Amino acid sequence: MHVAMIGAGYVGLVSGACFADFGHEVCCVDKDPAKIEALNRGEIPIFEPGLAELVAKNVREGRLTFTTDLGQAVRSAESVFIAVGTPSRRGDGHADLSYVYQAARDIAAAIDGYTVIVTKSTVPVGTGDEVERIIREARPDADFAVVSNPEFLREGAAIADFKRPDRIVIGTDDERALSVMNDVYRPLYLNQSPVLAMSRRTAELTKYAANAFLATKITFINEIADLCEHVGANVQDVARGIGLDNRIGSKFLHAGPGYGGSCFPKDTLALIKTAQDHEAPIRLVETVAAVNSQRKRAMGRKVIAACGGSVRGKTIAVLGLTFKPNTDDMRDAPSIDVITALQDAGARVKAYDPEGMEAARSMLTDVHYTKDAYDCARGADALVLVTEWDTFRALDLRRLKAALAEPVVVDLRNVYRPDEMRRHGFTYVSIGRPS
């Protein structure tokens, strides 16, 4: 099948490469000539484990191409995926759909023959209706269908998620369009991945509901962690105790500095705004978003407390900048709030991250970036572990203590054992556990 992928960002590039690996002929389109030129040179604009190799393989075998010419890509495609950004709109928090609607207008001018237009981007309920209206108004003669097919990719594990998904959600009432979508995903039938067919609006809401629920689990365990600290309980034991209940499940029950990234912050906010517009406010999700926003800044205060109540004139080392490991994504990363809170309190900040420092430079000022974890710790009055990269999970504690000016470690991911840290002479603070 010939597939056009509009947008060569995170979702578009991963989806396009995986579809090509299934055997489809995929053309990824982007308006940014520099990005397309880089991709044609084999340069991948994002860090995602395995993506560079997957792209190179399918380019080499002729199934994956990149272009700025949307018309050429769309005219030869049987299915056209819209995978452009939907960031939070400034001022009101609604999803900014301008890129989606512009893609719809561009597609309308190019489609030739029956075409299934698939919204892959995360969009509010009713967006597919508007995409259909835009195309129908521009091309009343066109033979097409608009389908919702939300992505459920975890950054850092996106290729595995695409190839072995929990489920494939297809939102359409058009049998012909459903048949085309079944052909697109036919290679996954061997894995017995469940295909859930539903209405377009239901599919759009399913994506938002999934992310809101996961964000709620994270926020719930974070608040339980705060209670644990006050009553002398251990949040990790609580998480195991409730996670073994199949009705609850163990995933997303890891206490930490709050959620960030490209999805949860903007998607919870967009769902809140959609619900308010339809006079069906989701109070639970509103609270989740508010609590998470406050939590990230509170982690900075936690570090200050661990340093005796003041960090003015002190040097704080920060390990991990990205919102999670195995990505270079800094969007809404907790490290931004933590570092800003420390700087506001008068601290000097050093930082190290295996992949995120280049992106961090445009978001954080007056931060000294270092070559590795030990260089970061050298001469610091405290060390803060913000992102649990594998490289930080087995640090040489003797070397680490020797590098620090003061042996203070604040572990916001509960990577280390309190008894082990005390045995090595650290003043150790973690999340929701007796220190």
Side-chain angles (χ1 to χ4, degrees), residues 197-246:
M198 56 188 71
S199 73
R200 191 164 61 200
R201 284 186 164 228
T202 304
E204 290 167 340
L205 184 56
T206 297
K207 167 66 175 186
Y208 277 111
N211 278 356
F213 188 82
L214 295 175
T216 301
K217 286 188 75 172
I218 293 170
T219 305
F220 173 81
I221 202 63
N222 283 341
E223 294 214 301
I224 292 295
D226 289 345
L227 179 58
C228 285
E229 291 179 11
H230 284 85
V231 302
N234 187 320
V235 70
Q236 289 181 311
D237 290 338
V238 172
R240 279 191 288 268
I242 65 175
L244 289 170
D245 185 327
N246 290 331

Side-chain angles (χ1 to χ4, degrees), residues 132-377:
E132 182 173 349
R133 187 199 65 78
I134 289 170
I135 298 172
R136 186 72 64 198
E137 187 176 84
R139 291 283 304 279
D141 61 316
D143 189 13
F144 70 96
V146 176
V147 173
S148 173
N149 175 221
E151 53 85 15
F152 298 97
L153 306 178
R154 295 169 299 160
E155 291 190 42
I159 293 171
D161 285 349
F162 197 99
K163 291 189 171 187
R164 290 178 290 279
D166 296 324
R167 74 288 201 197
I168 300 160
V169 172
I170 299 174
T172 182
D173 295 319
D174 186 309
E175 288 299 324
R176 189 161 52 148
L178 182 59
S179 176
V180 170
M181 294 301 293
N182 282 332
D183 286 343
V184 169
Y185 284 105
R186 191 174 302 283
L188 291 180
Y189 289 178
L190 290 175
N191 296 339
Q192 297 182 324
S193 301
V195 176
L196 305 181
M198 56 188 71
S199 73
R200 191 164 61 200
R201 284 186 164 228
T202 304
E204 290 167 340
L205 184 56
T206 297
K207 167 66 175 186
Y208 277 111
N211 278 356
F213 188 82
L214 295 175
T216 301
K217 286 188 75 172
I218 293 170
T219 305
F220 173 81
I221 202 63
N222 283 341
E223 294 214 301
I224 292 295
D226 289 345
L227 179 58
C228 285
E229 291 179 11
H230 284 85
V231 302
N234 187 320
V235 70
Q236 289 181 311
D237 290 338
V238 172
R240 279 191 288 268
I242 65 175
L244 289 170
D245 185 327
N246 290 331
R247 296 168 300 176
I248 296 172
S250 61
K251 293 183 178 179
F252 288 82
L253 288 180
H254 302 288
Y259 61 77
S262 61
C263 294
F264 286 4
K266 76 176 181 66
D267 291 354
T268 50
L269 188 55
L271 180 60
I272 289 165
K273 295 299 181 181
T274 298
Q276 290 172 347
D277 283 354
H278 289 83
E279 298 182 352
I282 303 179
R283 303 296 187 201
L284 180 61
V285 182
E286 290 177 8
T287 301
V288 164
V291 169
N292 187 70
S293 179
Q294 295 160 9
R295 182 171 188 80
K296 290 187 281 188
R297 180 83 177 184
M299 294 298 101
R301 297 194 294 272
K302 191 177 187 74
V303 177
I304 294 169
C307 293
S310 175
V311 292
R312 186 161 299 282
K314 294 183 177 180
T315 299
I316 309 298
V318 175
L319 293 185
L321 296 170
T322 54
F323 85 96
K324 64 181 290 189
N326 298 322
T327 180
D328 58 356
D329 197 340
M330 283 291 300
R331 285 173 286 185
D332 281 297
S335 64
I336 297 171
D337 297 79
V338 172
I339 289 172
T340 302
L342 293 172
Q343 290 175 328
D344 288 347
R348 296 183 295 269
V349 176
K350 303 168 71 178
Y352 171 71
D353 186 280
E355 293 291 340
M357 292 192 289
E358 190 60 38
R361 292 179 199 278
S362 63
M363 299 183 177
L364 294 163
T365 57
D366 298 322
V367 173
H368 175 64
Y369 298 98
T370 62
K371 64 181 182 181
D372 59 32
Y374 304 103
D375 185 35
C376 187

